[in-house]
Amino acid sequence: MRWFVVATLFGLSFASYMERMNLSVAAELMMPALSLTKSDLAVIFNSFLLGYAIFQVPAGWLGDRFGSRMVLGISALAWGVLTVLSGMLPGVISRTAAATVALLVALRFLLGAAEASTYPVAARAVHQWMPAERRGFGSSLMLMGSSVASAFTAPFVSWSMLRFGWRASFYLTSMVAFAVALLWLSFTQAPPATDQPAPLASSRRPAGRWLNTNVVLLSLSYVSEGYLLFMFVSWLYIYLVEVRGFSLAKGGPIAALPWLAAIAATPLGGFLSDRIAVRWGRIASARILVMTGYTSSGVLLLAAALVHARPLAVLALCISLGSLYLAESSFWTTAASIAGSDAGVVAGFMNTIGILGGIASTSIVPPLVKHYGYGGWIAAFSSGTAMGIFSAAIWWVLGRRLAKSAHG
């Protein structure tokens, strides 16, 4: 039963990412059809992230208060409805470009708010259902849904919009959210009676007082995750088509390759997290994986922008994203370790700060590219390098603090 829960959480993660990424691919046909610009797209992308950020902590609280089954199930139904409306309404009830942008901003904001529960509440469910020695791997399987969806979405949406039109691509992707929502809501068994995770010594506090220095440092380090990740989520397909010269049809499969690397790296990271934790402890495990993964991810992102050969650029993008996902489960297991009974709220706060990084990287690309062309892409990717190193530096401090508190 534990693995059924994790498999269904994988499905929720998959559906969540498919609904958030479909626009970044369909945009290639939506822009000329609806008279949208890249700057308009950045506003629309960020409206999702704003809703996603604002509702992270409330969604985590709802998960802690009402349980994961109802919160995630209702949320997933909302993803499907909002995705259908995103394909149905723009350009139909909105006759001008400005009105279309406003409508898409509203729909994507609501989608972000509905998706805010995904990872804080799912992380809580993993912690409830999985034994301590398997939580890293369980979290990685849940998180792997995002990379599988990201690999699948680009080729699927590019194929479906070329065959049926960009509106149909939204209708088709919405079906996944509806299917997984009904599966999750049909599951009625309660989690096993296990003790709540005990927070580390420096995090012991009265109920409800979850914010402390360790949580702040963890969340600050996670801003780099959002910054680097949304370089790929928002701009990878467009970069490959407009800068690297791939066609609309070929751009989808090529854009899937970095996500295939992430699919392989995510469970590998969870496996290594648990293995290293057995030998040196959970915090040392997270410190090693985050510092290694994020430094590598940032450096290789810049390498992808600098090399001239397209195969080398794609290879660097693959290893960059794979390195990012290698460390992903370490953040969520650490959040649960230092949160105690406030696991949903702490995970939501950490993800909120990560989303701010995503808003920043989504916003920085259009003005840089507009003013500097190809050099703007190099500058944007360089900023990702700096953010990867920034996260590693914070973990140098945070890992020492957490290890010290764990030993007394």
Side-chain angles (χ1 to χ4, degrees):
M1 190 56 66
R2 296 180 192 274
W3 295 109
F4 174 81
V5 171
V6 172
T8 311
L9 290 172
F10 170 96
L12 287 163
S13 177
F14 180 96
S16 170
Y17 251 76
M18 176 171 265
E19 311 312 343
R20 77 180 67 181
M21 283 195 68
N22 51 19
L23 178 62
S24 64
V25 180
E28 279 295 321
L29 292 186
M30 291 176 69
M31 283 193 289
L34 301 177
S35 301
L36 303 176
T37 66
K38 284 188 178 64
S39 295
D40 293 332
L41 277 184
V43 173
I44 295 165
F45 289 153
N46 280 339
S47 66
F48 169 89
L49 291 172
L50 185 62
Y52 195 57
I54 289 172
F55 287 94
Q56 285 289 307
V57 172
W61 178 85
L62 287 172
D64 290 338
R65 176 66 177 82
F66 297 105
S68 59
R69 175 178 172 270
M70 191 59 63
V71 173
L72 286 175
I74 292 174
S75 296
L77 289 174
W79 309 341
V81 171
L82 290 163
T83 300
V84 170
L85 293 177
S86 296
M88 182 182 298
L89 300 181
V92 176
I93 68 169
S94 51
R95 298 299 183 182
T96 66
T100 298
V101 170
L103 177 62
L104 284 170
V105 164
L107 288 172
R108 297 298 285 188
F109 176 86
L110 292 173
L111 180 63
E115 289 201 8
S117 64
T118 308
Y119 294 105
V121 180
R124 182 182 187 278
V126 169
H127 213 89
Q128 286 182 311
W129 279 93
M130 297 301 291
E133 67 274 12
R134 293 186 177 179
R135 284 171 185 158
F137 188 62
S139 293
S140 72
L141 293 181
M142 177 269 290
L143 293 164
M144 193 172 69
S146 65
S147 49
V148 174
S150 300
F152 178 78
T153 300
F156 177 76
V157 173
S158 63
W159 169 82
S160 61
M161 72 179 183
L162 288 172
R163 186 173 179 86
F164 304 111
W166 65 265
R167 293 184 187 277
S169 68
F170 285 91
Y171 306 149
L172 292 172
T173 54
S174 71
M175 295 171 64
V176 178
F178 289 130
V180 179
L182 294 176
L183 177 63
W184 181 252
L185 286 171
S186 70
F187 181 69
T188 58
Q189 186 169 333
T194 57
D195 294 334
Q196 284 287 347
L200 294 174
S202 64
S203 300
R204 292 184 183 128
R205 59 206 177 276
R209 294 185 60 183
W210 50 268
L211 190 61
N212 56 67
T213 302
N214 289 338
V215 171
V216 170
L217 287 173
L218 176 67
S219 302
L220 282 176
S221 71
Y222 203 64
V223 75
S224 299
E225 191 273 349
Y227 195 96
L228 286 161
L229 178 62
F230 276 87
M231 284 282 186
F232 290 88
V233 171
S234 298
W235 300 114
L236 175 61
Y237 182 79
I238 293 172
Y239 172 77
L240 292 172
V241 170
E242 297 189 1
V243 179
R244 291 295 177 174
F246 292 100
S247 67
L248 288 176
K250 290 184 178 179
I254 297 299
L257 293 178
W259 298 105
L260 292 176
I263 291 171
T266 306
L268 175 62
F271 172 78
L272 291 175
S273 173
D274 289 338
R275 293 294 297 225
I276 297 171
V278 169
R279 186 174 180 86
W280 288 302
R282 181 66 66 184
I283 299 307
S285 168
R287 190 185 188 199
I288 291 168
L289 290 173
V290 172
M291 292 182 67
T292 302
Y294 274 58
T295 301
S296 300
S297 181
V299 170
L300 287 164
L301 183 63
L302 177 58
L306 293 176
V307 298
H308 293 291
R310 289 198 306 184
L312 289 178
V314 173
L315 178 62
L317 288 169
C318 290
I319 302 175
S320 173
L321 189 61
S323 298
L324 191 72
Y325 270 83
L326 188 74
E328 184 68 14
S329 66
S330 294
F331 279 99
W332 296 93
T333 53
T334 301
S337 295
I338 67 177
S341 60
D342 296 316
V345 173
V346 169
F349 180 76
M350 179 188 76
N351 212 24
T352 299
I353 304 303
I355 294 159
L356 297 180
I359 292 174
S361 65
T362 299
S363 302
I364 200 173
V365 169
L368 286 174
V369 172
K370 180 179 179 180
H371 288 96
Y372 303 108
Y374 179 68
W377 287 103
I378 295 176
F381 287 9
S382 297
S383 67
T385 305
M387 292 302 294
I389 295 171
F390 170 76
S391 182
I394 289 183
W395 265 91
W396 177 258
V397 176
L398 176 61
R400 293 169 68 90
R401 284 179 54 88
L402 293 176
K404 182 178 179 181
S405 64
H407 290 92

